[in-house]
Amino acid sequence: MTALPGGRNTIERIARLGYGARGTVYVVVGALALLASLGQGGRAGDSKDALRAVLGGPFGAALVGLIALGLLGFAIWRLVEGVTDADRRGTSAKGLAVRGAHLISAALYLGLAASAASLSLGLGMRGGDGVHDGTAWLLAKPFGRWLVALVGLGVIGGGFGFLGKAWRGDVTDRLALDARARTRWAGPIGRFGYAARGLAFLIIGGFLVAAAWHQRSSEAKGLAEAFALLRAQPYGWVLLGLVGAGHAAFGAFGLIQARYRHIDAPDIDRVDDAAGAAVRALT
């Protein structure tokens, strides 16, 4: 196999570190939810709660610091995917939508990386409640109600996208694995994880649409509240356990991606040129 140029190797390492960090976070998120469903822990929480849980363990500050670096790497990779079309999504409506989602993901994971870094340095968890604060900010803008509704519908659309991917079973398309490995373990783990994330997205998107309808940011809720809603249903502990286990599977699939995903990393010079063109287009 021909060695990649140095710049491409660097981006590939950054991407793999990012997938590993994101996977680690969601393994902890899922484990906390699963424990809560069994009455063996506190409440099921979101990614920030997962970081706090890691911080409370052995070598917590160092581990959270490493996760912060990884999440920064994932944000960079998502930016590269969105700007340079590294995964060859193309310029169709679907391709542009996926690339746009990658750019939004880059911003979200950059914020989470900053929170993790702050936590590891003993500065506490910064950033407040992102869902509530962001919704309140949007509602205060002209046509804010419609903007929040649009975001909510976009999240719901993402949820259906996750569910569709789980149903089709094409989660392993970009993995460098043989057919047997895809069928026996990588595929089932990925499909279970994507299904759980899809359900969570549908609930969170519904919360956002409700916030737009009532024009109250307090109606907007995140993953922790989505878990709480599941727990409040009949046989809620079963639902929470299944979705929690699914989030752990989603995290495990992220670790699989860190090792086996095909990453067609562009040269750093190409990334710089594309980023510069994007900045010029916005100014």
Side-chain angles (χ1 to χ4, degrees), residues 66-89:
L66 289 174
I67 290 172
L69 287 175
L71 292 173
L72 175 61
F74 192 72
I76 292 171
W77 171 239
R78 281 299 195 225
L79 178 64
V80 169
E81 284 185 299
V83 172
T84 70
D85 194 19
D87 282 335
R88 306 292 192 270
R89 303 286 183 178

Side-chain angles (χ1 to χ4, degrees), residues 19 22 42 68 97 118 164 177 208 225 281:
Y19 279 112
R22 186 184 70 157
S118 177
L177 288 170
L208 287 168
E225 290 85 0

Side-chain angles (χ1 to χ4, degrees), residues 20 82 133 153 156 163 189 208 227 229 233 238 251 267 278:
D133 294 347
L153 291 174
I156 290 172
L163 291 172
I189 291 172
L208 287 168
F227 283 146
L229 179 65
Q233 305 307 308
V238 177
D267 293 326

